[in-house]
Amino acid sequence: MNRYNIIKNKNPREIVLLKGAPCKWGICSFCDYIDDNEKDIDICNNINLQVLSNITGITGQLEVINSGSVFELPSITFNKIYEIVEEKNINKIYFESHWLYRENLKKIHNIYNIPVIFKLGLETFDENFRNNILKKGIVFDTPTQISKYFQSICLLIGIEGQTKDMIKNDIDILLNNFPLGCINIFNENSTNIKRDIDLINWFKKEFAFLYNLKNIEILDHNTDFGVG
Ligand code: SF4
């Protein structure tokens, strides 16, 4: 498994995939990357410190992901990230978090004196599909409630049961309410969730313009950032 890369296309940044404690939510129906979670803190720290040693600060930006939320990283790892940000003159950092930690995000904003971008794996704005099919556990009334906490939204495209209207609505809300977005094309994994290839082909034609937008990243495979 590759855990360090430099993203060179849109929004260049170094990215690390770290190991954290089990995802506190942990029941999303399409997710098998929690298999990378680890209860043994020493194992997490040993791997993470080695991975973090690759960071050079070359792009000035760093993204940290961990198959869960940043709050599930051991404190030794979390403190090391902060040290590296200072040492390597990182001027922007990205973390992921589940919605359930939203009130804790400000603690991280308070620690860092650089912009911190929080990414939310929302997957879709469609309430029924998100919570009843994908089991995301994210309940809100308006996109503004989310943008108060999260600056980047991850959407999942191409799952059986998803519709063109849902996707059109998702892209519309993303583009009109959030500065950054990441669109993941669904690939089948060890879960029972199935891919809808016709819907994916339609999306790629219908929304071809998204590939040219600087603030929208589209991943055909979840290893396209070079980690995983
Ligand atoms: S919150 Fe993220 S890591 Fe946790 S189960 Fe859901 S998709 Fe997987």
Side-chain angles (χ1 to χ4, degrees):
M1 181 177 279
N2 195 20
R3 294 185 179 275
Y4 168 82
N5 192 34
I6 304 173
I7 297 171
K8 295 187 175 134
N9 306 328
K10 298 175 182 177
N11 202 7
R13 59 201 186 274
E14 289 176 278
I15 184 167
V16 286
L17 168 60
L18 303 183
K19 256 191 185 298
C23 167
K24 190 169 178 179
W25 180 250
I27 58 169
C28 298
S29 57
F30 61 92
C31 172
D32 67 358
Y33 28 90
I34 50 173
D35 293 351
D36 194 44
N37 293 163
E38 173 58 60
K39 286 184 185 155
D40 186 324
I41 288 179
D42 292 335
I43 292 177
C44 291
N45 282 325
N46 284 343
I47 291 173
N48 295 344
L49 296 192
Q50 191 278 322
V51 172
L52 290 167
S53 70
N54 289 294
I55 296 170
T56 63
I58 187 168
T59 64
Q61 299 196 69
L62 172 65
E63 176 162 349
V64 176
I65 58 175
N66 60 294
S67 305
S69 301
V70 56
F71 300 97
E72 287 138 12
L73 290 174
S75 56
I76 288 178
T77 295
F78 186 77
N79 294 340
K80 189 68 183 174
I81 295 167
Y82 182 81
E83 264 177 54
I84 289 172
V85 163
E86 295 278 297
E87 272 169 24
K88 307 290 181 185
N89 295 317
I90 307 284
N91 54 47
K92 190 183 278 187
I93 187 159
Y94 300 72
F95 291 117
E96 284 184 326
S97 173
H98 189 275
W99 179 242
L100 61 81
Y101 290 110
R102 63 192 176 282
E103 298 303 340
N104 294 348
L105 304 189
K106 54 182 171 295
K107 291 182 191 163
I108 294 189
H109 281 295
N110 290 341
I111 291 170
Y112 282 91
N113 45 24
I114 56 172
V116 181
I117 305 293
F118 282 104
K119 299 177 81 168
L120 175 67
L122 184 73
E123 322 308 351
T124 174
F125 288 91
D126 186 278
E127 164 90 34
N128 177 54
F129 200 72
R130 184 179 66 253
N131 288 330
N132 295 330
I133 307 297
L134 302 182
K135 310 283 185 203
K136 283 301 303 192
I138 302 178
V139 177
F140 61 93
D141 294 319
T142 65
T144 313
Q145 282 178 311
I146 299 180
S147 61
K148 210 173 105 185
Y149 302 97
F150 294 88
Q151 298 72 44
S152 180
I153 294 298
C154 302
L155 297 176
L156 197 52
I157 300 285
I159 291 177
E160 264 186 19
Q162 209 174 15
T163 67
K164 292 176 182 177
D165 282 346
M166 273 185 216
I167 294 174
K168 283 179 186 169
N169 192 47
D170 284 345
I171 302 298
D172 185 51
I173 297 174
L174 171 61
L175 295 180
N176 286 301
N177 293 276
F178 297 90
L180 294 167
C182 181
I183 296 175
N184 296 291
I185 305 293
F186 181 66
N187 286 278
E188 285 181 14
N189 52 27
S190 61
T191 70
N192 291 326
I193 298 293
K194 297 290 175 216
R195 170 175 161 108
D196 182 337
I197 190 66
D198 292 337
L199 195 62
I200 291 168
N201 289 338
W202 166 83
F203 167 80
K204 288 183 175 177
K205 273 192 190 159
E206 182 81 13
F207 290 102
F209 72 93
L210 292 175
Y211 286 85
N212 296 321
L213 297 187
K214 282 191 177 159
N215 61 330
I216 303 293
E217 293 176 306
I218 303 177
L219 277 64
D220 274 318
H221 301 278
N222 56 10
T223 51
D224 282 357
F225 279 150
V227 292

